[in-house]
Amino acid sequence: LSNFAVRELARDYLEFADKSLLNFDDTELQAIRRQMKNNDLEISRKDGWKVIKPVEQKGDDQSLDDLAKQVARLRADRVAAYAPADLKPFGLDAPAAVVTFVLEKEGKPIQHALKIGAPVDAKMADGDRYAMLEGAKVVGVLGRMFAKKLLGEPIAFRDRSLIRRLPEPDKITLERGERAGPNKAVFAKMEGSWKMAAPVASDAEHADLEDFVNALFKLRADEFVSEKPTPEKLKEYGLGKPESTWRFFSGDKEVLVLMTGKRDATEQRVYARLGSGDTVFFLDPNVTGRATAEYRKRALVSGFDAAQVEALTIGGEGGAFTLRKAEGMWKADGKPDIKINQEAVTNLLAALAGLKAERFIRDKDAPKALYGLEKPRRTIIAQTAMGMRQELQLGNLEGGSKRAYAALPGKTEVVVLSEADTMKLDKDLKGLSEK
């Protein structure tokens, strides 16, 4: 028999057990009550969702509506046991929490109590959990994300709207990394279009910056983390000394401060807090991308046609070499035995012609030695038959990444390039040769 057939025929009987734990119309759910040591919770749906205990406050309609839909069709990820004689191995003899869902059906109250037991893996307190509906025989396993929702702190259920009203900003400042103090980036709206005003005058990515501002008008926490974090916790979140601080002004009035810290385990969200409060929250992936983006005009090269390049000189470790195009093929000067990878050269020139900064490290007067650019690790010079020349300098790699610091000759700013561009541009003769 095939492996597949053996697997199917040798299944444990519990794999065929009904995984359904609850089944009702989500609109019938009227309240959620949780009994949990030092963490009792009560939420009511009357006139919109409202947290009643431990402190009365508006609930988050969007996330609680989603929770109601999940609960109404609640299924276990798998069945761990059926009518076990002893509940202790599952932590259900003394549950970590009992969550009661109160329904109203045809004018009559109905209650379903869900016992949440021990973690399936004792080493993972925030992992999958055993659960059992009161009066039922099935011990099911709840996935970690759903178990986390049911066991969450009360702050997780409160209204996630962060901004009620935001006047239209016409000036934005950004402090991030070397862009601090007098070097901070300043963007101003001039004649309806965003421009960079300081520390240098430059074009800005107007549409992208408009999208960022528009996202702030309806800013929501993706998840609340902590209401009053200690200085140690702020440091843990990267907010003791924020990774970036955005300030938004309407006229001379500061209307919003948004500080961002480290990324979470998924790398998709950042810890953040507002200047007007202590609460730490996660920004959703979309706003995270906008809050960590570059808004100075990112294009570094203009009017350069890669197809017209006839000579390419690359210097750096191991000395310099020159490639020339002859009869449509790239060849190495003085090295007739080396066969050049034509595609690799084409990719390098395309990256050079369309070069964009992933972000600016310093907008002017950068200490180039700090980034390996005082004596560049690699220089790239491309020349056309008409005498047009484009040069790029590559320095050290940023941190432990594969992104290179870069600069253009005669310019005092330093940028960091994307991994993709760095990989295409950072080539020696061996990297441009066919294997």
Side-chain angles (χ1 to χ4, degrees):
L1 294 177
S2 69
N3 288 340
F4 173 77
V6 171
R7 262 197 321 271
E8 291 300 304
L9 292 170
R11 279 191 184 194
D12 184 274
Y13 78 97
L14 289 174
E15 292 187 49
F16 297 98
D18 186 3
K19 298 180 181 68
S20 298
L21 298 177
L22 288 169
N23 188 10
F24 58 85
D25 187 333
D26 64 274
T27 61
E28 295 170 352
L29 183 61
Q30 298 302 307
I32 302 172
R33 297 181 187 134
R34 183 179 70 197
Q35 292 172 287
M36 184 177 177
K37 187 177 179 181
N38 302 323
N39 204 4
D40 285 353
L41 175 72
E42 183 175 348
I43 305 171
S44 170
R45 200 177 197 170
K46 188 177 180 181
D47 301 323
W49 289 104
K50 186 182 290 184
V51 178
I52 307 299
K53 285 183 182 180
V55 177
E56 191 167 315
Q57 56 189 315
K58 188 179 185 306
D60 188 62
D61 291 332
Q62 183 176 316
S63 60
L64 284 167
D65 280 344
D66 290 342
L67 179 61
K69 287 182 173 66
Q70 285 181 285
V71 168
R73 299 289 181 269
L74 184 58
R75 288 172 58 83
D77 282 8
R78 63 184 175 86
V79 174
Y82 185 80
D86 186 5
L87 294 176
K88 192 171 183 179
F90 308 103
L92 291 164
D93 56 327
V98 177
V99 184
T100 302
F101 304 102
V102 182
L103 316 181
E104 187 176 300
K105 192 166 186 176
E106 298 175 357
K108 296 178 181 178
I110 300 173
Q111 295 189 4
H112 297 294
L114 182 69
K115 298 176 183 178
I116 301 177
V120 174
D121 183 345
K123 296 177 182 177
M124 294 182 62
D126 61 347
D128 297 351
R129 291 256 179 178
Y130 295 114
M132 187 177 196
L133 202 63
E134 199 168 83
K137 295 182 179 182
V138 168
V139 174
V141 173
L142 296 181
R144 61 179 293 271
M145 294 308 294
F146 187 72
K148 180 182 175 183
K149 281 184 184 180
L150 294 183
L151 299 177
E153 295 292 324
I155 190 177
F157 301 95
R158 80 176 213 198
D159 185 12
R160 295 183 190 175
S161 299
L162 297 170
I163 295 176
R164 299 295 178 191
R165 182 178 175 277
L166 180 67
E168 184 83 33
D170 53 21
K171 188 177 88 169
I172 303 170
T173 68
L174 166 64
E175 294 194 52
R176 180 164 62 201
E178 291 292 315
R179 281 173 157 174
N183 296 312
K184 68 185 175 187
V186 180
F187 299 93
K189 212 166 195 180
M190 304 174 187
E191 298 178 352
S193 183
W194 287 103
K195 302 283 186 183
M196 188 179 204
V200 294
S202 175
D203 288 334
E205 301 285 359
H206 170 78
D208 293 343
L209 198 46
E210 276 289 279
D211 287 343
F212 183 28
V213 171
N214 289 336
L216 298 176
F217 286 123
K218 48 193 174 186
L219 185 63
R220 283 172 50 83
D222 196 51
E223 180 185 337
F224 284 115
V225 177
S226 177
E227 200 156 16
K228 292 187 181 295
T230 62
E232 291 75 22
K233 279 293 183 183
L234 282 176
K235 188 176 179 182
E236 181 184 320
Y237 304 143
L239 289 165
K241 184 181 179 184
E243 303 271 332
S244 68
T245 301
W246 291 93
R247 298 180 186 275
F248 299 82
F249 298 83
S250 182
D252 294 328
K253 185 181 178 183
E254 185 178 87
V255 294
L256 176 66
V257 179
L258 175 65
M259 293 169 276
T260 68
K262 295 178 181 176
R263 292 180 181 260
D264 70 353
T266 69
E267 292 289 315
Q268 300 299 308
R269 306 183 300 175
V270 288
Y271 291 98
R273 71 185 182 106
L274 300 180
S276 57
D278 297 323
T279 303
V280 174
F281 53 89
F282 282 120
L283 290 176
D284 70 37
N286 178 46
V287 181
T288 291
R290 299 191 189 287
T292 54
E294 175 59 58
Y295 292 104
R296 179 177 170 178
K297 199 72 173 178
R298 294 170 53 221
L300 301 175
V301 174
S302 62
F304 180 72
D305 187 353
Q308 302 301 315
V309 175
E310 297 290 336
L312 180 64
T313 300
I314 298 177
E317 300 157 348
F321 63 92
T322 298
L323 305 181
R324 294 187 193 279
K325 190 186 280 187
E327 298 177 353
M329 299 291 288
W330 288 100
K331 297 181 180 180
D333 272 7
K335 302 180 190 299
D337 296 335
I338 293 179
K339 191 173 182 181
I340 299 301
N341 184 329
Q342 304 297 310
E343 184 181 0
V345 178
T346 298
N347 289 340
L348 184 152
L349 292 173
L352 184 63
L355 195 62
K356 287 187 175 183
E358 182 154 290
R359 70 179 185 280
F360 284 80
I361 301 298
R362 281 278 289 269
D363 295 288
K364 71 171 187 176
D365 303 330
K368 291 195 173 181
L370 192 64
Y371 307 103
L373 286 162
E374 190 172 48
K375 295 179 179 178
R377 183 172 55 82
R378 197 173 306 287
T379 59
I380 302 168
I381 303 171
Q383 290 179 297
T384 69
M386 302 298 292
M388 190 173 182
R389 170 189 172 108
Q390 182 63 55
E391 183 174 346
L392 177 69
Q393 301 168 341
L394 299 181
N396 300 331
L397 296 179
E398 181 192 35
S401 76
K402 297 178 182 178
R403 300 182 295 269
Y405 294 113
L408 297 175
K411 303 285 187 180
T412 63
E413 59 261 52
V414 167
V415 304
V416 67
L417 302 179
S418 70
E419 280 191 21
D421 279 347
T422 300
M423 186 168 64
K424 292 172 185 175
L425 293 162
D426 198 1
K427 300 282 190 184
D428 56 12
L429 183 57
K430 185 178 179 181
L432 291 171
S433 304
E434 288 195 354
K435 295 181 181 178

